[in-house]
């Protein structure tokens, strides 16, 4: 089946530094990928839609200059949290849609736990 | 505003028992409804996906039902196992790939 990976699985950084998270579709191509953020005991919240070869589309309230998204290829999207602060500590998950004929579904990465000290 | 409401918020059952999770939605126009299982600290994993014309879909011990008229779905887990302990998320899409997520039901299965 379709597999989406994320790297790193967890990261701890100091306040003010930047952190890059990678999302890869391992056995299929994804022109679109999605980035979510999930706080403890909360549902996933869509942050942005990553589009291969064009600019990402950000959800309302998400700062595009703080969360930089680059969809460099059909199998790789990156999310860079710039000048991270403790309130950015969260679980970041990406997903990619995979068309299985009649049914399209989202395949999620395993997530990246970001802790900003 | 599109919304997905799940109930109960949390549930504790004994191993071997059955349980049913509920999902009500106001997403329109409706495209598909998916149930995901999310283990703590992991990404969600798809259990079932149903389109407008489908009333039920099974995946092993998981059976999802959909009533598109009342905009309700349920996920029934049969003969629960300890490994079923997780958060179960109902996700409804309106045609584009952008979905609306429920807040999930936290299920704990005790031995």
């Amino acid at each position: 089946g379709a597999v989406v990976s994320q790297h790193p699985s967890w990261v701890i950084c100091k306040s003010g530094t930047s952190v890059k998270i990678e999302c890869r579709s391992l056995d299929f191509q994804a022109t679109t990928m999605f980035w979510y953020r999930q706080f403890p005991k909360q549902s996933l919240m869509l942050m942005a839609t990553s589009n291969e070869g064009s600019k990402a589309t950000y959800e309302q309230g998400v700062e595009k200059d703080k969360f930089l998204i680059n969809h460099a290829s059909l199998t790789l999207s990156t999310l860079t949290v710039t000048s991270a602060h403790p309130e950015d500590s969260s679980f970041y998950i990406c997903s990619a849609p995979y068309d299985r004929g009649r049914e399209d579904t989202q395949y999620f990465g395993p997530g990246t736990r970001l802790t900003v000290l | 505003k599109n919304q997905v409401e799940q109930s109960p918020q949390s549930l504790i059952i004994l191993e071997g028992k059955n349980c049913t999770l509920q999902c009500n939605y106001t997403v329109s126009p409706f495209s598909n409804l998916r149930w995901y299982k999310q283990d703590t600290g992991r990404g969600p994993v798809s259990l079932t996906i149903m389109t407008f014309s489908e009333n039920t879909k099974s995946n092993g011990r998981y059976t999802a039902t959909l009533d598109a008229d009342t905009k309700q779905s349920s996920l029934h887990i049969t003969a629960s196992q300890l490994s079923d302990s997780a958060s179960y998320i109902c996700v409804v899409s309106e045609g584009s790939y952008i979905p609306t997520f429920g807040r999930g039901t936290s299920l704990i299965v005790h031995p």
Side-chain angles (χ1 to χ4, degrees):
Chain A
V3 177
V4 175
S5 70
Q6 281 185 240
H7 178 80
S9 57
W10 59 270
V11 57
I12 301 174
C13 68
K14 293 182 178 179
S15 184
T17 61
S18 294
V19 176
K20 179 184 287 188
I21 303 171
E22 294 184 347
C23 176
R24 294 181 185 272
S25 55
L26 297 185
D27 50 0
F28 67 101
Q29 294 181 334
T31 57
T32 302
M33 291 184 177
F34 300 95
W35 286 96
Y36 305 86
R37 181 165 54 182
Q38 186 178 36
F39 293 106
K41 298 186 178 181
Q42 299 289 319
S43 183
L44 285 80
M45 293 179 57
L46 179 65
M47 299 176 64
T49 302
S50 173
N51 303 299
E52 189 271 336
S54 63
K55 292 182 179 180
T57 304
Y58 291 82
E59 294 300 300
Q60 190 174 8
V62 178
E63 300 175 58
K64 62 180 181 180
D65 294 329
K66 180 171 184 62
F67 299 98
L68 302 179
I69 291 174
N70 184 2
H71 200 137
S73 73
L74 289 173
T75 59
L76 173 64
S77 174
T78 61
L79 168 68
T80 301
V81 183
T82 63
S83 186
H85 292 287
E87 57 265 29
D88 297 323
S89 297
S90 187
F91 192 53
Y92 292 85
I93 302 175
C94 70
S95 74
Y98 181 66
D99 186 355
R100 301 189 298 176
R102 287 183 57 249
E103 300 176 349
D104 68 271
T105 192
Q106 298 273 356
Y107 285 89
F108 289 85
T112 297
R113 172 73 60 190
L114 170 63
T115 302
V116 185
L117 302 177
Chain B
K1 180 181 178 181
N2 291 335
Q3 288 186 316
V4 176
E5 300 288 339
Q6 289 188 243
S7 62
Q9 184 175 353
S10 62
L11 181 63
I12 301 174
I13 62 175
L14 292 176
E15 185 180 12
K17 298 295 185 182
N18 304 334
C19 67
T20 300
L21 314 179
Q22 300 291 340
C23 173
N24 297 336
Y25 62 92
T26 61
V27 176
S28 182
F30 174 85
S31 175
N32 61 67
L33 184 147
R34 292 164 280 171
W35 282 94
Y36 287 89
K37 177 186 178 186
Q38 185 179 20
D39 293 313
T40 301
R42 306 291 297 173
V45 174
S46 179
L47 294 176
T48 63
I49 177 171
M50 288 183 292
T51 58
F52 183 87
S53 60
E54 297 175 297
N55 300 119
T56 185
K57 183 74 70 79
S58 291
N59 178 2
R61 294 179 297 103
Y62 301 101
T63 299
T65 64
L66 173 65
D67 186 334
D69 292 330
T70 61
K71 298 187 177 181
Q72 296 179 327
S73 176
S74 66
L75 180 69
H76 186 74
I77 303 175
T78 304
S80 61
Q81 301 176 358
L82 298 180
S83 59
D84 293 331
S85 295
S87 179
Y88 291 84
I89 304 172
C90 176
V91 183
V92 185
S93 295
E94 59 173 296
S96 65
Y97 286 128
I98 299 178
T100 301
F101 291 85
R103 297 188 62 174
T105 292
S106 176
L107 175 65
I108 299 175
V109 180
H110 277 312

